[in-house]
Amino acid sequence: MTKRSTGLTGFINNRLFLTTLLSTLLASIISAVYTLTEFNIALKPRLLQKAEAIAEVIREDVDLAVQVGIPFSQIKGMDLYLQETATKYPELVYVLVTAPSGEVLYRGGDSDNALPMTSAPSQQHLHSDLALQASFFTRLINGGRDLLRLLPLGAQADGQAENLYLPLTSNGHSYGAVQVGLDTGYIRTQLTDVFFDIAIVLVAVLLVSFEVVMVLVMFYVSGPLQRSESILERQASGDFSVNDNLASKGSIGSFISELNKDSRQLQQRFRAALDQATNGGGAVISDPADIPQTDNRGLGSRLRTMAEQFNLLKVLREKQGSITDARIPLFVFAFGEELQKSFMPLFVSEYYEPNPWFDKDIMVGLPISVFMFVIAAATPFAGSWVDRWGNKRLFLWGLIPALAGYLGCALASSVYEIIAWRAITAFGYAIITISCQGYIAAIVTSENRAKGMAVFVGVLMTATMCGTALGGIIADRIGYQPVFLLSAALAAFAGLLAWLMLSEEVDGQSKKAAAGSKGGIWALARNIRFVCIILFCAIPTKIILTGFLYYLVPLYLVSLDASQSEIGRIMMVYSLIIIPLGPIASQLADRTGKMVELVILGTILSGAILISLYGEASIMTMLLAVAMMGAAHSILKAPLIAAAMEAAEATPEVGRTTALGVLRTSERIGSVLGPVLVACLLAIYDYGEAMVIVGTGIVIAGVVMGFYLKAADKKEALAT
């Protein structure tokens, strides 16, 4: 991990981050305001024109009935006709046909708020007032009067509907009117949906910008600046060591190379003088202690002192690789994968056909379970493959099944095809994520393990938040299957980034570490502390994630008549909470060393939140539950990985990547069980009861884990 930037590097980093993010924020806000303004300007006139067209159709039908001799007050089936019209168009509150006196003869929809017509305006009056409203709405967006102060056509029903009249005439005489109530609440709802969609896009743009800016700054600015500062400080203190594997790009990199070149030239001159003093012995001396005593004047001693004081024989090998190398490739790939999470159950339900083997609820959750099962089965092999072939190569190989799976889902025509292609995608996902996690684990140290794992978790959460929310918005507008094509494009781009950014040297370090480890899964199975963390925290946490967030929340919200965009926004809150709170929890864990305590607390809170869902169902309740679940999981996500790695250290014969593979496999077992478990419970119980059962089990698991680990700590303390 890179240390906190100070001095010139910190000065430049802070201002560069601030300037870039403020510029992005300002540009995003301007774009959002412009988009919302354009939508507002276009929406109201379009709805008014649609209401006018509906009124015109009704007037023509009434005129036709009157012309064939049916008395105006005795048209049969008129109420049903108007009711069907009002139901068909959600933007209409009511549709009425009134007599010249204003008496309502026929009605459809909610006509309780309709105001009686005091006069019958002409059709030309209607057109002119429509134009007036359109122009007023434009003035409203630009800071004009309040819309509620305008009484269109002389009447407005308590701010709930705008009454539009169209006269009924025969031989130049008015015999009634068609009255249409345009729902102003519908307009506000549409504007609210667009506003939240724009806000989500704004947040996603800022998060993506933050990720991109952070990596670019670390890669091209702060990293080279830190290296240049380090060389300058070293040379200023009289240390002229040479960095033997310096790799820097750009103008700052050229400056570093020149500084390193100066040290190299100085060492070459010293070696030439040393060679001359030792009469050209030809031996390559790398340690000042090996400098021979050349004569009785003590020349060898003085050369040895100079070499030790100024490090004139020292050659450094700078450690290659940084967490930021894997950050952007992992983010882009995970972002593409998360695009489908908000609509996957709904996408599968469109292709569901009754069969004698599985109920619909189980079938809808099956692609998620199969996806997680394949990841669970492939992860242990992926861990050993990483040790054998390296992180970078495995990342690129994992793209092949991932791309095939995305393209297959885009062309799928049945549930079984979707399940098969998601399984293929899962194989690639397992390889790519474990390669990135292994890359980060190879770089971090025991002192900043939780913080390093928080980077991995934070990248996945940022990608989850952006992908889930934007995936719902995109699917709401272009359909489900095109989203898979977008995921394939993002996966291919992630592969290009991985090829450019991941370091081969980290792969070499991982292979050396793997060569020194001979243990495996069975050795870890004897590590009771590690097994306890797996069984009572890692698996239950994933059961909640897939069973509650990815499976139950979309179905529950659909039952509450939530739109696809609303579902995506609510699911986004989970990741939005974890992104800021996760690093805080990881820093607290590193500072206090209370990894296990945070894990226990987060597990118990997760179960308690599920129990709290028992009761009256509402969209707001689900929003609050998702937000609280995000807070609970932010407490335990990074500390869970750190606690598991710390527990695995008690089994030194097991390699780091192998331990991570076992952890990830165990988590995927929970991911597989989640949708199946919840689906089985929903076949018997309602949503609230099912969550109470799952939540109670999670709380019990957290309590058992707490008692056991505390007892183990006391036993170890007494033993020492």
Side-chain angles (χ1 to χ4, degrees), residues 150-161:
L150 180 64
L151 299 179
L153 304 179
Q156 183 166 340
D158 301 329
Q160 297 181 4

Side-chain angles (χ1 to χ4, degrees), residues 275-288:
D275 187 60
Q276 183 178 1
T278 56
N279 299 319
V284 178
I285 300 175
S286 58
D287 190 343

Side-chain angles (χ1 to χ4, degrees), residues 4 62 211 236 288 299 373 406 536 574 622 629 656 668 704:
R4 184 179 179 87
V62 173
E211 290 292 332
L299 179 59
F373 173 78
Y406 292 138
F536 296 115
Y574 173 83
M622 290 303 298
M629 190 64 71
R656 178 179 54 243
R668 296 310 175 185
V704 171

Side-chain angles (χ1 to χ4, degrees), residues 292-303:
Q293 178 67 28
T294 57
D295 53 32
N296 55 8
R297 293 178 298 174
L299 179 59
S301 299
R302 291 199 298 272
L303 290 173

